[in-house]
Amino acid sequence: DSLPVETDTDYQQDVIIHASWEGFFDRESGVMFYLVTVAEECLNLGNMASVGNSSFVTNTTSTYVTWEAPHPGTYYSTVVAFNRALEPSQPICSDGVTIDNSPPMLREVLVDNVRLKPGLVRDGEGNVWMVDRNGYRQPAPLCRNVSREVEDIELWPLLQLPNGTVHPGNETDCQLYQELSTRTYMTEENLLSLRWNGEDQESDIYDYEVGMSSTESPDLPDILQFTSTNAHPHFTTYHPNLGQGKQFYLVIKAINRAQMFTTKVLGPYIVDVTPPAFAGQIDVTLEEHDGEQMLVGRWECDAFYETDGDDALLLFEFAVGHSPESSELLPFTPLPSSNALCSATLPPSCVSIPVTSLDWQLH
């Protein structure tokens, strides 16, 4: 599946197919001519002369032919040699060449140690998705008015249930969320680790390359030049330039065996390894609700804040102990969404704990 002397071709973008051969001989009368077909299957002598419109057949004294295929696909060259007595050889078929002029697909990119501000996006078909702080998406059909449209919705993986089925989505309070921010924060310095899914149904994946750039340009990443993953859909590197406050873009390239490629640019990513800060105080009271004693802590909405990042990325947990910063009575637990004493706000500013859930009684 190539011109004479050239290396055999298995995959290509061009619709021009070359076929060449050698090794046919006849000691008595020599080879007079060749019957050659290029078709979507290997043929025998009986059906070589009756090929369809998407195939090629010719008689030639040359040892190569060239033909323009009508469409992408896999094509096989079959050659039969005839001697001067018009006796045919056995048909010999090539291993085929695949024409692939469509680029591979890249989707479901997950970067380790990153946090997003949860937000809403809308795909090209009008479907609305909630993207959580870890980068997974789930349906949020009621939030169309506060979402922004994105081109590559499949770059965000679907959130799945423990049984492997796709999460059906929750009833999202759209007033609590905004359009998904374009910024993503990394919580690890000098380390980049990511994975993704890639596919090319026509010619398979040949390789992936990953780079890091200071700009959104997909061509020449300047922080980390394109680095091969040896066709593995994952990549890990230690890089000294990924320090606190560093901003960069990820560039992922998928290359198929026909050398067609797809490039995706993600980001910006901002390295943030500093802890959140607190200004103010937590007021603790003992209150009664529905006949039950509740320990209630309240603070100002802006009391906890990020010094270098986005306040909406904060996660809140609470604990109860005998002394400041201790948790022997109740270990650290995520804040409940809301109850009668603490309404749902972003960020939260209240937590209430039933006294009966503690290991001691308050006096």
Side-chain angles (χ1 to χ4, degrees):
D1 298 305
S2 64
L3 289 170
V5 188
E6 292 186 356
T7 304
D8 179 67
T9 301
D10 293 322
Y11 302 93
Q12 64 182 49
Q13 304 172 28
D14 198 347
V15 295
I16 303 299
I17 292 178
H18 303 287
S20 59
W21 55 92
E22 60 181 2
F24 291 95
F25 65 94
D26 189 293
R27 289 192 175 89
E28 288 76 24
S29 61
V31 174
M32 183 176 181
F33 68 93
Y34 302 95
L35 175 63
V36 184
T37 61
V38 183
E40 293 177 286
E41 60 181 340
C42 291
L43 302 176
N44 55 47
L45 181 60
N47 57 17
M48 287 179 70
S50 58
V51 296
N53 295 332
S54 61
S55 303
F56 167 78
V57 60
T58 188
N59 292 330
T60 182
T61 58
S62 178
T63 56
Y64 71 90
V65 296
T66 298
W67 175 62
E68 182 176 347
H71 52 73
T74 301
Y75 294 88
Y76 301 86
S77 300
T78 305
V79 180
V80 175
F82 286 83
N83 63 16
R84 296 185 183 281
L86 297 183
E87 295 175 327
S89 69
Q90 291 294 321
I92 303 300
C93 187
S94 72
D95 62 357
V97 58
T98 297
I99 299 173
D100 182 6
N101 56 17
S102 60
M105 296 178 60
L106 267 174
R107 59 178 184 269
E108 298 181 346
V109 180
L110 277 176
V111 183
D112 292 338
N113 302 311
V114 300
R115 293 294 180 265
L116 296 83
K117 176 182 179 181
L120 299 158
V121 293
R122 184 177 67 257
D123 61 30
E125 298 179 355
N127 301 307
V128 180
W129 305 87
M130 163 65 70
V131 179
D132 66 21
R133 61 185 285 109
N134 296 314
Y136 288 91
R137 62 185 167 102
Q138 57 180 286
L142 301 179
C143 302
R144 186 178 307 274
N145 293 334
V146 290
S147 60
R148 67 176 175 91
E149 186 169 345
V150 295
E151 293 182 0
D152 298 312
I153 190 64
E154 291 192 347
L155 290 178
W156 288 276
L158 284 164
L159 182 64
Q160 295 186 344
L161 298 173
N163 62 7
T165 60
V166 175
H167 197 292
N170 297 316
E171 292 187 6
T172 303
D173 187 348
C174 304
Q175 295 181 349
L176 296 177
Y177 298 97
Q178 301 174 344
E179 296 180 355
L180 181 67
S181 172
T182 58
R183 296 184 299 174
T184 303
Y185 293 90
M186 291 192 64
T187 60
E188 185 83 20
E189 284 188 298
N190 306 325
L191 173 65
L192 175 66
S193 180
L194 64 151
R195 56 196 182 277
W196 59 87
N197 284 325
E199 182 183 14
D200 192 291
Q201 295 183 349
E202 291 78 19
S203 62
D204 297 326
I205 296 294
Y206 172 72
D207 198 7
Y208 299 104
E209 294 179 350
V210 177
M212 289 188 292
S213 179
S214 60
T215 70
E216 290 186 82
S217 172
D219 301 322
L220 296 172
D222 55 352
I223 298 176
L224 174 69
Q225 296 182 352
F226 278 123
T227 304
S228 169
T229 71
N230 296 316
H232 298 301
H234 53 83
F235 179 75
T236 299
T237 186
Y238 294 90
H239 201 285
N241 284 339
L242 298 183
Q244 168 64 28
K246 182 69 174 181
Q247 176 174 303
F248 67 95
Y249 294 84
L250 264 178
V251 188
I252 308 175
K253 181 187 292 186
I255 309 166
N256 66 20
R257 295 187 180 276
Q259 297 304 298
M260 297 285 292
F261 63 88
T262 294
T263 304
K264 300 295 183 183
V265 180
L266 298 89
Y269 293 87
I270 302 171
V271 180
D272 180 16
V273 296
T274 59
F278 176 75
Q281 64 181 21
I282 299 176
D283 297 319
V284 180
T285 58
L286 186 62
E287 302 178 18
E288 185 174 324
H289 175 66
D290 289 340
E292 186 175 22
Q293 292 291 309
M294 305 289 289
L295 186 65
V296 183
R298 293 185 175 89
W299 58 93
E300 296 295 329
C301 285
D302 57 357
F304 291 94
Y305 62 94
E306 272 278 14
T307 56
D308 297 309
D310 192 325
D311 291 350
L313 294 174
L314 296 176
L315 281 180
F316 289 80
E317 295 184 346
F318 72 96
V320 180
H322 287 294
S323 59
E325 301 183 8
S326 65
S327 58
E328 64 271 16
L329 295 180
L330 187 68
F332 278 100
T333 306
L335 260 67
S337 58
S338 64
N339 57 37
L341 296 177
C342 295
S343 58
T345 60
L346 280 179
S349 59
C350 175
V351 62
S352 61
I353 309 110
V355 172
T356 54
S357 66
L358 305 177
D359 290 339
W360 63 307
Q361 297 294 321
L362 296 179
H363 300 287

